[in-house]
Amino acid sequence: MELPSLDDITFDANASLQAQLHAQIVQRIYSGRLPPGTKLPASRRLSLQLGVSRNTVLLVIEQLKAEGFVESHSGRGVYIEKTLPVQRSAMPLSAGDRLLNLPELSAFAQSLSQLSFRGHEASLPFTPGIPDLKAFPTKVWARLLRRHQDRTVLMGFDGDQGYAPLREALAQYLSLSRGLRCDASQIVITQGGQQALSLCAQVLLNPGDSVLVENPGYRGAEQAFQAHQAKLLGVPVGDRGVTVQALMDMPASARIMYLTPTHQYPMGGIMPAAERLKLLNWAAREQVWLIEDDYDSEFHYMSKPIAALQGMAVQTPVIYLGSFSKTLFPALRLGYLVVPKPLVASFAQVKGFMSGETALLHQAVVADFIVEGHFVRHLRRMRVLYQQKWQHFSGLLTSELSGLAIPVAESAGMHLVIETPGVDDEELAVAFHASGYGCSALSSYYLDDVKRSGLVLGFAYTTQAQRVDAVERLRELLIERLK
């Protein structure tokens, strides 16, 4: 039998010869160039032919034998395994190949592909939701991390509800700082705010249920509910958030209402106390769960932080949602829910089914970060720093964009909105992004066709020079588009 020629095997000097030889022989088996029963050249001959060591060839042959691609017969040589099927559909893809005739995706995955979705992009200056990462106390964090990284107890399992010391620390902080009525048994730790929203949808919604959302509102919440086949009903937002009268005028009932009463996202309105109490009464009467997203409540600059809706009455149909993405850093992926006690077991069970536990190491570090006072001190410093940035940025927008844009300058949070009537804000956002800055088009936060044009601009992750340059660039872009 004539032995196959493997002269065309080539190698990249910067990669493992053994791995390359193995991959190319397997490729020839898949493609049919080395059909079942084919005898391979002897190891010595093959090493001379390819210019590699005999030891490399022998190691590859042993690996192929272990994987079942070849078989050796004493005194006769090495052969491609006779029972291997010839199946071109199983061939590894090469450049330019297309996947054909694959099984269908689930109906769930196909439904999601029809929805508008934008994942997180790079952390550019002015990207909404990014804190000042350079101001984070990394030395303190590193010291706490070293304290816990060798604890073997944090390398195992602890429970789907979350690390008990973190839940205890959070319950105390939320009670003192945010006015919540809760204890540690009501807290469920999650992988960020998005998982918290998804858990709410999984526990509280059936397919086809209606969910009330602010319009304009947070897209991440809308995506979480749409993923569970909910019907979204937009509630108009005024200067002070949604009003109860707007809810009463809506014809359809709903299972959930999602809202940001402490600092409406993205427009910045703060819901007054009278409206909050009316909302609680309405929700109790209509049997609607309120999901209160307290995403950046710690950052109010002209007054103390506004107390949370959840703590305004003894018994409320409120599920409180928070995360450390803005108070610490986004990559931490740590969030939490405060739920009524009868719901705790269901939330923890669903979390266990869908994702299991949240990583223990960072939970332990955050627990100490809170208990030892670093969290409160960090927030105090950030309030001062963000207030300075807010004042500088809002002043620039007002003075430099006069007649071109209308700033919506609420004295809270980490972002500002400018309205740009008569300008395609999606196209404006693309042009601003091309200049090296992040932002979001205001129109993309709306559910319907009644939209306002503008940009949502995060100022926390910016320097003074960047704010000056960015406003100048915005001025140029707006002048070009309003000619």
Side-chain angles (χ1 to χ4, degrees):
M1 174 186 293
E2 183 178 350
L3 296 178
S5 173
L6 299 175
D7 290 343
D8 58 341
I9 289 180
T10 58
F11 298 100
D12 179 351
N14 297 316
S16 165
L17 296 179
Q18 183 179 331
Q20 292 180 78
L21 179 57
H22 174 275
Q24 294 193 57
I25 291 177
V26 170
Q27 173 71 27
R28 283 157 175 75
I29 294 172
Y30 275 130
S31 67
R33 289 183 58 186
L34 293 175
T38 301
K39 184 179 181 181
L40 293 179
S43 59
R44 191 181 305 277
R45 176 178 176 182
L46 194 54
S47 69
L48 291 172
Q49 193 177 54
L50 299 176
V52 298
S53 72
R54 188 183 179 200
N55 189 52
T56 296
V57 174
L58 290 172
L59 287 172
V60 169
I61 290 173
E62 287 302 313
Q63 180 65 27
L64 293 169
K65 284 169 62 177
E67 294 171 345
F69 284 109
V70 301
E71 56 185 351
S72 62
H73 299 278
S74 180
R76 294 174 51 201
V78 177
Y79 294 80
I80 305 301
E81 170 63 49
K82 295 190 298 294
T83 60
L84 282 175
V86 178
Q87 190 175 2
R88 290 187 61 84
S89 63
M91 289 171 54
L93 293 177
S94 58
D97 284 343
R98 297 175 58 193
L99 288 170
L100 301 175
N101 301 321
L102 291 179
E104 286 189 357
L105 298 176
S106 70
F108 172 72
Q110 293 184 54
S111 68
L112 291 188
S113 69
Q114 305 303 312
L115 301 176
S116 173
F117 176 77
R118 294 181 181 178
H120 294 292
E121 298 179 349
S123 298
L124 296 173
F126 298 99
T127 299
I130 304 295
D132 190 334
L133 302 177
K134 294 180 181 178
F136 184 75
T138 53
K139 291 183 179 179
V140 172
W141 185 264
R143 175 168 55 80
L144 296 177
L145 193 60
R146 286 193 298 272
R147 175 190 298 173
H148 291 290
Q149 64 186 7
D150 294 329
R151 293 179 61 199
T152 55
V153 69
L154 300 178
M155 299 169 69
F157 294 113
D158 180 74
D160 296 320
Q161 190 175 344
Y163 186 56
L166 176 57
R167 291 189 286 112
E168 292 283 355
L170 264 175
Q172 185 174 9
Y173 168 76
L174 293 172
S175 175
L176 294 174
S177 175
R178 306 297 303 117
L180 263 66
R181 300 172 185 264
C182 71
D183 57 49
S185 70
Q186 293 174 253
I187 296 177
V188 179
I189 305 298
T190 65
Q191 277 92 282
Q194 198 64 26
Q195 187 192 49
L197 287 165
S198 184
L199 283 174
C200 290
Q202 289 166 329
V203 174
L204 303 176
L205 290 176
N206 294 313
D209 282 344
S210 294
V211 176
L212 295 162
V213 295
E214 296 167 323
N215 189 32
Y218 177 51
R219 293 175 297 186
E222 296 165 7
Q223 291 161 357
F225 301 135
Q226 286 179 314
H228 292 278
Q229 302 177 36
K231 179 183 178 182
L232 301 184
L233 303 174
V235 184
V237 169
D239 292 339
R240 308 190 77 180
V242 299
T243 63
V244 178
Q245 188 59 51
L247 294 172
M248 292 179 174
D249 292 340
M250 300 195 69
S253 60
R255 291 287 295 273
I256 289 176
M257 179 176 183
Y258 168 86
L259 72 164
T260 52
T262 305
H263 184 222
Q264 200 280 326
Y265 191 81
M267 300 305 294
I270 299 171
M271 182 180 270
E275 287 293 300
R276 291 167 180 243
L277 291 172
K278 290 179 185 177
L279 177 65
L280 289 172
N281 291 334
W282 170 84
R285 183 176 68 250
E286 299 295 328
Q287 292 289 282
V288 176
W289 285 107
L290 299 177
I291 298 178
E292 178 182 14
D293 190 343
D294 211 20
Y295 68 99
D296 69 355
S297 59
E298 288 86 358
F299 304 125
H300 284 256
Y301 310 128
M302 302 306 179
S303 64
K304 291 184 178 180
I306 308 300
L309 186 68
Q310 191 266 5
M312 294 187 73
V314 176
Q315 290 187 341
T316 60
V318 178
I319 294 170
Y320 179 92
L321 185 158
S323 86
F324 293 101
S325 291
K326 295 174 178 61
T327 53
L328 296 182
F329 53 92
L332 186 59
R333 304 312 306 141
L334 207 59
Y336 51 90
L337 291 165
V338 180
V339 303
K341 289 187 177 181
L343 276 66
V344 172
S346 294
F347 271 87
Q349 183 180 41
V350 170
K351 180 172 180 281
F353 267 72
M354 300 307 296
S355 68
E357 297 190 26
T358 303
L360 285 172
L361 178 58
H362 280 157
Q363 289 190 72
V365 173
V366 173
D368 283 2
F369 196 80
I370 296 173
V371 170
E372 295 180 8
H374 307 297
F375 188 55
V376 171
R377 285 192 290 272
H378 176 59
L379 290 179
R380 192 180 299 128
R381 288 193 299 269
M382 291 302 98
R383 259 185 226 114
V384 173
L385 178 60
Y386 291 166
Q387 181 178 2
Q388 294 169 351
K389 293 188 178 191
W390 173 82
Q391 289 174 329
H392 180 243
F393 191 42
S394 60
L396 284 173
L397 292 173
T398 300
S399 62
E400 300 302 318
L401 301 186
S402 178
L404 300 172
I406 305 168
V408 181
E410 287 290 342
S411 58
M414 297 162 51
H415 72 271
L416 288 171
V417 172
I418 59 169
E419 291 189 55
T420 56
V423 174
D424 183 333
D425 60 357
E426 291 279 1
E427 191 270 338
L428 178 63
V430 170
F432 193 54
H433 190 279
S435 302
Y437 299 117
C439 66
S440 296
L442 178 59
S443 63
S444 66
Y445 292 87
Y446 285 83
L447 283 177
D448 49 34
D449 293 331
V450 182
K451 301 177 179 180
R452 294 156 81 176
S453 174
L455 295 181
V456 180
L457 299 158
F459 59 79
Y461 187 51
T462 64
T463 64
Q464 180 171 322
Q466 287 170 339
R467 294 191 290 276
V468 171
D469 291 344
V471 172
E472 177 58 31
R473 181 58 181 147
L474 275 175
R475 178 178 175 80
E476 293 171 357
L477 292 172
L478 287 168
I479 289 174
E480 289 174 7
R481 284 154 181 77
L482 291 171
K483 285 180 179 178

